[in-house]
Amino acid sequence: MSQAQYPMKLTPVLKDYLWGGTKLRDSYGKKTEQAIVAESWELSCHPDGPSRIANGAYAGRTLQDYVAEHPEAIGEAGKAFEGFPLLIKLIDAKESLSVQVHPDDAYAREHEGERGKTEMWYVIEAEPGAKLIYGFRTELTKEEFRAHIEGDTLLDVVHEVPVKKGDVFFIEAGTLHSIGGGILLAEVQQSSNSTYRVYDFGRVGADGKPRELHIEKALDVTRRERPKHGTKPLARIPIADMELVLLVSCNSFAVYHASVREKAVFRVDAESFQSLTLMDGRLTLETHTGGERLELRKGDTVFLPANMGTYSLTGSGEVLLGMLP
């Protein structure tokens, strides 16, 4: 392991969108004077919110600076992507987000100049009765979709899903969706910020005007169908030291949930970097070569460069583990 290959605790960028709450600030250790923390961009090289490295030789530098100097840190799988491929967030929805949709790669590159956005959600907390929107109840034509938008009846045809802690949602580009109020979740997505709002519950922005909608683009990209994916993990992997669960695997990312009980051993090989987000508990991360040691608390995220080698997590906690497929 070289001096540039060490576990990097990240300082996130915080977003104060009007629908957000205070849980990320009050319960997940996000230090800010903002009254609202809607999103915490935990691991990001996106220009709209690059995260920074908090420890070691690259402390104070952005993660984008680091991977520009060390592209091998993304891993062999990263050669299939242009730039850093992932963005990981924590999202606290005190109120519902807009009903929205994201474009796929081809449409986004043509119209937005960046990649598209497929994402997944892991529900960390959900208040009683919390719901989200996930696709449509029945298949619609494009003309029917437009008519429901223009007639203010879109909510009559969307698919609402009650949610609880541990639910998993795979949101392919083109899937209409909205996170409902009372939900806190982790999101792993392609590194993109292209969002088309379809319906915003009549809200206004800080300027007192209705927020912009993107109806024509949404009509172009939305899959007007029932969701194809369930809300349960893909597989449970029995390991002596922990419970490891594969949540989602697709062309852009693979995401696991690990429940560490006392001590668990992991390895970062040359194929992909890993990211760790501690959703609950306290853990100590220690590398087996070099002896680097990090104390992790609820809400912390760490970037582990590709080929860093073996490391252990000691303590008790729930971890979201992200990597390239």
Side-chain angles (χ1 to χ4, degrees):
M1 184 171 68
S2 72
Q3 289 184 338
Q5 291 176 305
Y6 68 93
M8 301 175 182
K9 188 181 289 189
L10 299 177
T11 300
V13 173
L14 307 179
K15 305 287 187 176
D16 62 348
Y17 306 136
L18 56 83
W19 43 261
T22 61
K23 292 178 181 177
L24 293 176
R25 184 194 67 199
D26 298 341
S27 300
Y28 287 81
K30 306 306 173 185
K31 296 179 180 178
T32 179
E33 295 182 358
Q34 294 174 191
I36 292 174
V37 183
E39 295 185 354
S40 177
W41 290 27
E42 294 288 303
L43 183 147
S44 170
C45 291
H46 196 282
D48 290 345
S51 48
R52 291 187 177 274
I53 299 166
N55 64 302
Y58 285 82
R61 305 278 299 277
T62 67
L63 183 61
Q64 178 60 48
D65 288 341
Y66 171 77
V67 298
E69 290 184 19
H70 300 279
E72 71 280 1
I74 301 176
E76 290 295 316
K79 294 178 180 178
F81 303 91
E82 180 182 342
F84 193 81
L86 296 189
L87 199 165
I88 298 175
K89 303 175 181 176
L90 297 176
I91 299 177
D92 176 20
K94 182 179 180 181
E95 301 176 10
S96 295
L97 279 68
S98 62
V99 181
Q100 58 189 241
V101 66
H102 307 301
D104 63 15
D105 287 341
Y107 192 94
R109 290 194 188 286
E110 178 180 354
H111 294 270
E112 311 300 339
E114 65 172 358
R115 58 170 56 90
K117 186 175 174 183
T118 284
E119 61 194 17
M120 66 80 65
W121 298 333
Y122 176 81
V123 178
I124 302 172
E125 298 181 20
E127 295 176 5
K131 299 178 180 179
L132 53 77
I133 291 172
Y134 185 41
F136 295 90
R137 288 189 291 176
T138 59
E139 188 168 345
L140 301 177
T141 66
K142 188 172 184 178
E143 292 72 24
E144 288 171 334
F145 184 27
R146 181 189 292 275
H148 282 292
I149 295 171
E150 294 177 348
D152 200 25
T153 57
L154 182 62
L155 297 185
D156 294 341
V157 294
V158 297
H159 182 219
E160 281 194 324
V161 185
V163 299
K164 63 183 184 305
K165 173 181 167 60
D167 283 346
V168 181
F169 293 85
F170 180 52
I171 314 292
E172 290 182 280
T175 303
L176 194 76
H177 61 276
S178 170
I179 304 170
I183 298 173
L184 189 145
L185 56 77
E187 177 177 286
V188 180
Q189 60 162 89
Q190 290 179 276
S191 183
S192 172
N193 203 24
S194 293
T195 297
Y196 302 149
R197 293 192 196 101
V198 181
Y199 178 78
D200 199 31
F201 303 95
R203 291 181 294 205
V204 296
D207 59 0
K209 298 178 181 178
R211 297 198 298 171
E212 182 182 6
L213 302 180
H214 314 91
I215 304 302
E216 296 304 321
K217 288 182 176 179
L219 286 166
D220 285 345
V221 306
T222 300
R223 302 181 184 207
R224 303 174 306 277
E225 59 191 16
R226 290 177 57 84
K228 298 178 179 178
H229 306 279
T231 61
K232 303 302 179 186
L234 293 181
R236 297 186 182 275
I237 305 167
I239 297 177
D241 298 328
M242 62 179 163
E243 179 183 279
L244 186 64
V245 180
L246 175 61
L247 301 178
V248 167
S249 181
C250 66
N251 292 334
S252 298
F253 46 76
V255 184
Y256 295 81
H257 177 278
S259 294
V260 179
R261 291 183 281 271
E262 292 184 2
K263 183 175 181 179
V265 178
F266 300 81
R267 179 173 179 79
V268 191
D269 60 23
E271 189 64 16
S272 172
F273 70 89
Q274 292 180 14
S275 70
L276 298 177
T277 299
L278 185 57
M279 298 177 291
D280 199 12
R282 296 186 69 168
L283 293 170
T284 300
L285 185 156
E286 189 167 6
T287 61
H288 292 192
T289 303
E292 283 86 357
R293 184 182 177 96
L294 283 177
E295 300 296 330
L296 304 180
R297 298 186 179 188
K298 178 179 173 179
D300 285 344
T301 292
V302 180
F303 174 79
L304 305 169
N307 212 29
M308 191 193 75
T310 306
Y311 65 96
S312 61
L313 295 175
T314 305
S316 177
E318 293 186 34
V319 174
L320 197 72
L321 174 63
M323 64 188 72
L324 297 181

